[in-house]
Amino acid sequence: MPAFDLQRVDLPTGVSLDVAVAGDPANPAIILLHGFPESHRTWRHQIPALARDHFILAPDQRGFARSSKPTAVSDYTPDKMVGDLIALADHFGIAKFTLVGHDWGGAIAWMAALNRPDRIGRLIIVNAPHPFIFQKTMFDDPAQREASQYIRAFRNPDFEQHIEKIGLPAFFDTSFLRHTDFEKVEAEKAAYLDEWSQPGAMSAMLNWYRASSIIVPEMDETPARPAFLNAPFPPIKQPTLVIWGVEDKALLPSQLDGLEELVPDLTLVKVDAGHFVPWEAPEAVTEAIRRWLA
């Protein structure tokens, strides 16, 4: 028996999402947001444990798996996903909730916490950089700039042709596996390939990168510094737990530098794992979340 129901939810934002639903709706709500290139299955280890005393929603975000895949790049600006998030909470009658995000889901969670503090009571971030720090390190940390050059590749309009040429299994082996342990994901390969092979899925997933306003300069480039980096940045108002896999090769330790100044009520838990820490070290992540929520 699966630990959740997978429900199809039509939202007034114009998309339909597959949503993993678990737990008693009378309990406090937690919404879990996955990142690239995943789905609600990012949280397969956390959902049963959290659902013991919380109501859990874990959507396949727009563009991923079998959820709707609008075709325009502009359909994937972060405000669209924040709109989906709030509409999803409204659909289930949830006024205020704890928001959890990993990778791109964490980017949406940071933005939602900043813009909708009326709806988000607590924030949990798992290996997702704060937007101010991430943009700053694109200019001030050459190592992070180098580690982020893949974003420039993903934004290339010909990247889908490259994937089509080499095939999805090769993309899995040559790109995805660079950031994790094959033994921990080998059994999941078929599920990933199934989700990625849905019509329009690969372009939709890559459009998250193309629609982002984050500037990723080339290594030898010196573009104008964004003005907001020299101005005060609004703090996160919610109590916030940041869980960080310290072996992350895409997001370097500089992503934690100065975080406490932007997140006054911060709890930081470091885990000996890589970028995909929710399933690379599931017990540590679940324990950290449950202990902090308690």
Side-chain angles (χ1 to χ4, degrees):
M1 289 287 291
F4 52 81
D5 296 323
L6 193 62
Q7 300 182 14
R8 188 73 169 183
V9 177
D10 300 327
L11 298 179
T13 54
V15 297
S16 299
L17 306 182
D18 282 349
V19 183
V21 182
D24 186 343
N27 286 334
I30 299 176
I31 299 181
L32 302 158
L33 300 180
H34 69 84
F36 179 94
E38 300 203 277
S39 67
H40 69 274
R41 300 183 69 261
T42 296
W43 309 106
R44 58 191 178 275
H45 301 290
Q46 286 75 44
I47 290 173
L50 297 177
R52 293 203 298 265
D53 45 20
H54 288 82
F55 181 52
I56 305 299
L57 301 176
D60 291 342
Q61 299 203 74
R62 66 165 65 196
F64 289 87
R66 287 171 170 78
S67 289
S68 293
K69 300 170 184 65
T71 56
V73 171
S74 59
D75 291 319
Y76 296 92
T77 53
D79 61 292
K80 305 297 195 308
M81 280 71 88
V82 173
D84 293 343
L85 168 69
I86 299 304
L88 181 64
D90 290 345
H91 176 86
F92 284 92
I94 299 168
K96 206 155 192 174
F97 54 93
T98 295
L99 180 58
V100 186
H102 171 253
D103 185 78
W104 260 115
I108 302 308
W110 284 120
M111 174 172 277
L114 286 164
N115 289 282
R116 295 306 305 264
D118 57 316
R119 303 298 298 273
I120 297 159
R122 290 182 290 188
L123 182 65
I124 300 175
I125 298 292
V126 186
N127 282 70
H130 186 285
F132 180 88
I133 295 175
F134 191 53
Q135 184 62 92
K136 185 173 184 293
T137 56
M138 289 299 102
F139 287 82
D140 298 345
D141 180 4
Q144 182 61 68
R145 183 191 291 198
E146 183 175 12
S148 298
Q149 290 299 300
Y150 73 93
I151 295 175
R152 296 183 61 85
F154 284 0
R155 287 173 170 173
N156 186 325
D158 297 326
F159 197 75
E160 289 92 328
Q161 295 180 24
H162 164 70
I163 295 173
E164 186 175 350
K165 181 178 180 180
I166 66 172
L168 286 176
F171 179 68
F172 184 95
D173 293 341
T174 59
S175 297
F176 185 50
L177 283 186
R178 292 182 193 174
H179 295 282
T180 188
D181 184 340
F182 181 74
E183 291 183 0
K184 293 178 179 176
V185 77
E186 181 179 12
E188 304 297 320
K189 183 173 182 177
Y192 281 105
L193 295 180
D194 172 68
E195 292 173 352
W196 297 355
S197 65
Q198 297 307 306
M202 191 54 67
S203 287
M205 291 191 294
L206 293 170
N207 281 343
W208 282 58
Y209 292 92
R210 293 163 178 157
S212 168
S213 62
I214 290 289
I215 299 169
V216 182
E218 295 185 62
M219 293 306 297
D220 58 354
E221 186 182 1
T222 311
R225 192 178 183 88
F228 78 88
L229 292 180
N230 300 316
F233 199 87
I236 294 289
K237 297 178 180 179
Q238 296 87 345
T240 301
L241 169 66
V242 172
I243 301 171
W244 203 264
V246 295
E247 300 301 321
D248 195 330
K249 300 299 189 295
L251 298 169
L252 305 184
S254 59
Q255 298 311 311
L256 301 177
D257 293 346
L259 187 58
E260 67 282 354
E261 298 172 12
L262 296 160
V263 188
D265 190 349
L266 173 67
T267 301
L268 175 62
V269 174
K270 296 182 179 180
V271 177
D272 185 17
H275 179 70
F276 295 96
V277 61
W279 47 260
E280 288 185 5
E283 296 85 0
V285 171
T286 302
E287 180 185 357
I289 292 174
R290 288 193 58 82
R291 187 188 318 121
W292 186 74
L293 289 174

